């Protein structure tokens, strides 16, 4: 898996004041979560959770914080029903990332 320890580690996790908590399951992916929760860009949810848009850092956090262990492409972690704790936090609709 392509992972990189972030230079600036998250000060805390989960993110403060999420709108919803989503337990990931087989077949989930970032695009599906964006569709379910009305986000145009899946990166919004990723940035809300991990404060990064660097794929290798996202993989680091998926393994460390979400408990992802599986991959569909050998490069990035994929969501699975067996992920533990397997939680992704969804921002309020009014939340927008700072670029």
């Amino acid at each position: 898996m392509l992972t990189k320890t972030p230079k600036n580690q998250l000060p805390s996790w989960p993110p403060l004041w999420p709108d919803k908590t989503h337990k990931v399951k087989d077949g989930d992916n970032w695009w599906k979560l964006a569709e379910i929760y009305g986000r145009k860009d899946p990166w919004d949810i990723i940035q809300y959770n991990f404060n990064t848009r660097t794929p290798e850092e996202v993989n680091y956090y998926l393994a460390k914080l979400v408990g992802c262990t599986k991959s569909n492409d050998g490069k990035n972690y994929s969501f699975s029903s067996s992920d533990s704790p397997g939680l992704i936090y969804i921002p309020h609709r009014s939340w927008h990332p700072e670029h």
Side-chain angles (χ1 to χ4, degrees), residues 43-82:
W43 281 99
D44 288 1
I45 298 171
I46 297 167
Q47 188 165 345
Y48 179 74
N49 276 268
F50 309 130
N51 198 31
T52 185
R53 287 180 172 251
T54 304
E56 298 86 0
E57 292 178 358
V58 172
N59 280 332
Y60 171 87
Y61 286 127
L62 284 171
K64 183 175 180 177
L65 301 175
V66 182
C68 294
T69 60
K70 298 179 181 178
S71 174
N72 292 331
D73 64 8
K75 296 178 185 176
N76 297 298
Y77 283 109
S78 303
F79 295 132
S80 169
S81 298
S82 63

Side-chain angles (χ1 to χ4, degrees), residues 86-97:
L87 301 176
I88 294 294
Y89 299 89
I90 309 300
H92 288 269
R93 288 184 188 265
S94 62
W95 182 89
H96 297 286

